[in-house]
Amino acid sequence: MALPARRHRAPAQWGDPSWPARSWDPFTEFQQLWDQMGRLFEQGAEIDTAAWRPVAETEETSEAYMVRAELPGLRRDEINVEVEGNELRVSGEVSEEERGPKLKRRTGAFVYRTILPSDADLDKVGCELSDGVLTVRVPKTEQGRSRRISIKG
């Protein structure tokens, strides 16, 4: 004996395999928005979309702030290091060379910007280029340096 056929079905509910696959997921949408905002903040206020940003790291010691940027194959005269207000800016341009087979690397203008803390001594900024790594050292002012205070008692 055959079972009777079901004529209508109860409406699908969330979690049911027949639930429409194209339903709105607010968490996925929020994650996409978060990723887009992160990319915007990484680009910073840089309007020029043709400029790229070199890989850089920052470090704070008790004496100074350090910024190291990877700029392989560049000479000192191809890199500009400027301090304007409390902003440190490293910029320049990498031109393409014609030397036969080689690894591809980024070419064109580059810029790296960072805001320096208020205790940075902007008059004593120094930089050095060694083995394709630019190191910028920004010393701290005397007021900004930490010091140990003894406890009496």
Side-chain angles (χ1 to χ4, degrees), residues 7-120:
R7 301 232 177 218
H8 30 359
R9 184 175 173 168
Q13 301 212 358
W14 190 72
D16 186 356
S18 63
W19 180 257
R22 293 176 40 196
S23 64
W24 178 64
D25 181 10
F27 297 108
T28 302
E29 197 166 311
F30 181 74
Q31 183 64 43
Q32 291 170 351
L33 179 64
W34 186 262
D35 293 341
Q36 289 173 354
M37 291 298 294
R39 286 191 294 273
L40 276 174
F41 282 118
E42 284 177 3
Q43 292 173 357
E46 190 62 39
I47 303 297
D48 184 13
T49 58
W52 56 275
R53 186 175 175 188
V55 175
E57 66 179 4
T58 58
E59 179 186 357
E60 180 181 0
T61 65
S62 61
E63 303 280 321
Y65 299 100
M66 308 289 281
V67 176
R68 289 183 194 87
E70 293 181 9
L71 300 169
L74 293 179
R75 297 183 311 272
R76 290 185 310 204
D77 58 338
E78 297 174 317
I79 304 169
N80 301 318
V81 180
E82 302 169 333
V83 175
E84 184 177 326
N86 64 340
E87 180 183 69
L88 173 68
R89 178 182 166 137
V90 177
S91 61
E93 189 164 353
V94 178
S95 58
E96 194 167 338
E97 301 173 13
E98 294 297 328
R99 286 194 179 176
K102 64 172 182 161
L103 291 174
K104 288 263 185 192
R105 66 177 181 163
R106 280 194 176 179
T107 58
F110 66 88
V111 70
Y112 172 81
R113 292 180 176 177
T114 188
I115 302 298
L116 297 170
S118 60
D119 63 342

